[in-house]
Structure formats: C-alpha cells, structure tokens
Amino acid sequence: MVRSDSPVLQPANRKGSKAQLFMLKMRLTALIFMIFIVIGTATAAGYYIGSQETVQAAKPLQAQTQNALTVRLAEQKSFCDAVEKINLEQQLVHEQEIANTLALSIEKQQNAIEQQQSALEQQQAEMEELETRILSSLMANFDDHLISRSNSSADGFVEEASNLIDLSRRLNQFSQTEDANDLDLSEYKQAIDNRLLRLPTLRPVYGRISSGFGYRTHPIYRYRHFHSGIDVVASAGTSIRAAASGYVTEAGYHSAMGNYIKISHGNGFTTVYMHCQRLHVKSGQTVEKGQTIATVGSTGASTGPHLHYEIHLYGTPVNPTRFIMD
Ligand SMILES: [Zn+2]
C-alpha cells in the first residue's frame, strides 16, 4: 500500500513530492493497465489457440463419429432388411401353409369324389353283371323255346311260335314295370322278335274262311281233292299283308292261281297268296312282316273275291290256321 506519510517523501519538499506522487500514481495506473492488457491479450490468445487446438482435435473425432454412425446406419439397414426378409419369409411360409391346407382339402374332396365314382362304378358293374345273368338265363330259356333242327316239324314250329308269342307278350308286360328301367332286355327282345318275324303267324286278310285246309270237293271242277290252303273271303281290293318277313321268290300270273306271290322266309317256311287283284311287290324283293303285298281279287280259277293262302314247311303244305296267332 502506498501511503502519503511514507518515510521516502520529505515534508520539506512537499510541492515537489506531490508531483512525484502523482507521476508515480500515473505510472502505477499505467503499469496496472498494461498488465491487464498483457494478461487480457495472453488470455485471448490462449483461448484462441486453445479453441483452435480443440477444433483441430475435434476433426478426427468427428470423422470417427461419422464413420461409426455410417456403420451403425448400415447395420440398422441390414437389420431392417433382415427383419423384413424374415417377415417376408414368414409371410411366405404362411401362404405356403394356406396353399398346402387348400391342396390337402382339394385332395380330400377328390378322394371322396373318386370313392363315390368307384362305388357308382361298382354298383353299375354289379347291375351289368346281374343284367348279364338275367339275360343269359332268359336266352337259355329262350333257346329252350326254340325247336331243334331234328324236330323242325309243323308241330314243333307251331309250339315254338306259340312260345315266342307268349314270351313276347310277357316281355311287353315286364317292359311296362319299373324294374324294366334298370334292366336292358333289348337283346332278348331282339332275339325273340327276329325269330318271330320269320314265322308266318300273321293273318294276311281278315274274313270268313269259306274253305279249310284238307280234302274237299272242288267248288268248280266238282271232284274230291286235297285243298292245300285256306280260302278267306274278303271284298275285292282289300289289302293282303305278308304273314312273315322274307324274300319274294315268285310274283306273277298263273291260269289257275291267278295273280300270285310266293315268299320264302328263310327258315323252311314259304307262304303263297293266290287270286290277287293287284300285286304290290316284285320277284327278288324283300318284304317285312305285315307289309301290304297285294290286294284281294278273283283272278285265275276263282268263283269270287277271296284269298287262297298256303303255308309250306320244307315244301309240304301245312294247315295255315294252326299258325295264325294274331
Ligand atoms: Zn283255295
């Protein structure tokens, strides 16, 4: 501390001392000021240098941090990718599971359908087997109804025709029942029909029989002779039908028979139609059972409109009335 009563200052020289004191104070003040400036400058410089060092020191740190962040970012991205991938895979697995379930369900349904189909097929096979058995049994039965070659007599054929007509009638009755829908007997029916179609069971003309088969006195020549057919009286122009399906072997005119037709039926039977007014078929033609082949007339040795009708079995005349079954 600087005191005014300092022993350095002389009281005798008080005026000069005051000026010296003032100068001293001024110097002190300047010194202190200088010191402050120096300290301040130094401090400022130190701060500057220090901050520069800090900046310089921070630069690599910043780069390091940035690198670390970049790495971290990359890691996070890859993590996200991984998570996303896992999610996608899970989704994929889920979809796959759904698809598998669906496929399994479809397979089950298909199996069920196949089983039903197989059951149906089995049923159908059983039905067919049953049908075959019934049919073969019927056919065996049918064969029993046919006459053998060795027994191809008129009696045999009459019996066969009678049996076939009976079978056909029963078959028609059966075909009207519900069971007929499950059973295809067309083959059987066809067999019966084919056989029957060639047997002369059809009446060629409806009318009174004026003269029967057998011995009689001839209506014109008045002598006793064998009448090999039947005379059916009908008005002129009445349709004459084929007694069975067959093949026309003769169609022409004869002085005694008049306009006449002969039909071969391919089974030993031949039918003859005489005294016709007109002929509707020609020799060599095939005819169906029931087809109109001529009209009733009185041509040849005849006393009036009638049909003289004959059936021959292997060339021998048989009584037509035995075969007419309609
Ligand atoms: Zn006659």
Side-chain angles (χ1 to χ4, degrees):
M1 180 62 75
V2 179
R3 292 180 62 116
S4 59
D5 56 350
S6 161
V8 180
L9 298 173
Q10 302 294 320
N13 200 10
R14 193 149 297 224
K15 256 200 179 173
S17 299
K18 270 189 179 180
Q20 279 180 337
L21 191 65
F22 176 74
M23 280 304 291
L24 190 67
K25 278 183 180 174
M26 282 300 285
R27 278 178 193 165
L28 268 172
T29 307
L31 185 66
I32 289 163
F33 185 70
M34 286 294 284
I35 288 165
F36 270 113
I37 282 173
V38 168
I39 290 169
T41 307
T43 308
Y47 268 114
Y48 176 71
I49 289 160
S51 71
Q52 282 298 103
E53 277 176 355
T54 308
V55 167
Q56 287 299 320
K59 268 184 183 170
L61 189 71
Q62 203 176 5
Q64 271 181 2
T65 311
Q66 207 161 6
N67 282 342
L69 279 173
T70 307
V71 169
R72 189 76 190 278
L73 198 69
E75 275 173 3
Q76 270 184 347
K77 195 173 182 304
S78 109
F79 176 73
C80 282
D81 284 350
V83 168
E84 202 176 355
K85 199 180 161 195
I86 287 164
N87 279 343
L88 276 176
E89 274 172 2
Q90 277 177 346
Q91 186 69 26
L92 211 65
V93 165
H94 184 58
E95 297 288 340
Q96 193 68 46
E97 276 169 4
I98 290 172
N100 285 343
T101 310
L102 273 174
L104 205 70
S105 162
I106 287 167
E107 203 181 338
K108 272 183 189 170
Q109 280 176 349
Q110 263 172 348
N111 283 345
I113 287 167
E114 273 166 25
Q115 273 175 2
Q116 279 178 343
Q117 207 159 16
S118 135
L120 208 70
E121 274 168 18
Q122 199 182 336
Q123 221 170 5
Q124 206 161 10
E126 279 169 11
M127 272 302 288
E128 274 166 21
E129 198 193 309
L130 182 71
E131 196 174 278
T132 308
R133 278 217 313 272
I134 290 172
L135 200 63
S136 65
S137 153
L138 283 172
M139 291 306 276
N141 183 255
F142 170 67
D143 286 339
D144 288 345
H145 285 82
L146 302 184
I147 57 149
S148 63
R149 284 276 169 200
S150 60
N151 187 31
S152 56
S153 64
D155 287 346
F157 274 113
V158 166
E159 193 185 339
E160 178 183 315
S162 167
N163 287 338
L164 291 179
I165 285 168
D166 186 47
L167 277 179
S168 184
R169 184 180 54 78
R170 279 191 285 168
L171 194 65
N172 281 338
Q173 280 177 346
F174 175 75
S175 72
Q176 282 159 14
T177 66
E178 277 187 23
D179 293 332
N181 297 329
D182 303 328
L183 203 59
D184 182 16
L185 294 177
S186 55
E187 196 186 325
Y188 180 56
K189 184 170 165 41
Q190 198 68 49
I192 294 172
D193 287 348
N194 283 345
R195 193 81 185 185
L196 256 180
L197 279 173
R198 293 191 170 271
L199 290 176
T201 57
L202 198 87
R203 191 188 301 268
V205 167
Y206 283 92
R208 181 176 61 88
I209 295 173
S210 60
S211 186
F213 178 84
Y215 283 96
R216 66 165 191 181
T217 303
H218 197 278
I220 294 172
Y221 306 114
R222 313 305 300 172
Y223 64 94
R224 192 158 169 82
H225 77 122
F226 183 74
H227 190 223
S228 54
I230 56 169
D231 293 333
V232 184
V233 178
S235 47
T238 303
S239 291
I240 299 168
R241 299 177 301 160
S245 298
Y247 168 79
V248 179
T249 54
E250 289 178 47
Y253 180 81
H254 179 271
S255 58
M257 296 188 283
N259 291 321
Y260 75 100
I261 294 167
K262 282 187 183 176
I263 299 171
S264 170
H265 302 289
N267 51 1
F269 283 102
T270 303
T271 51
V272 188
Y273 312 81
M274 297 183 191
H275 312 303
C276 302
Q277 188 182 63
R278 282 169 184 274
L279 304 183
H280 292 310
V281 292
K282 287 181 172 135
S283 180
Q285 188 184 327
T286 55
V287 290
E288 301 296 319
K289 190 169 188 170
Q291 182 181 331
T292 297
I293 51 171
T295 50
V296 172
S298 191
T299 55
S302 169
T303 51
H306 77 283
L307 169 70
H308 175 94
Y309 172 56
E310 292 183 8
I311 298 178
H312 297 192
L313 178 58
Y314 300 116
T316 305
V318 293
N319 190 346
T321 52
R322 297 187 65 201
F323 285 91
I324 291 170
M325 296 181 189
D326 63 343

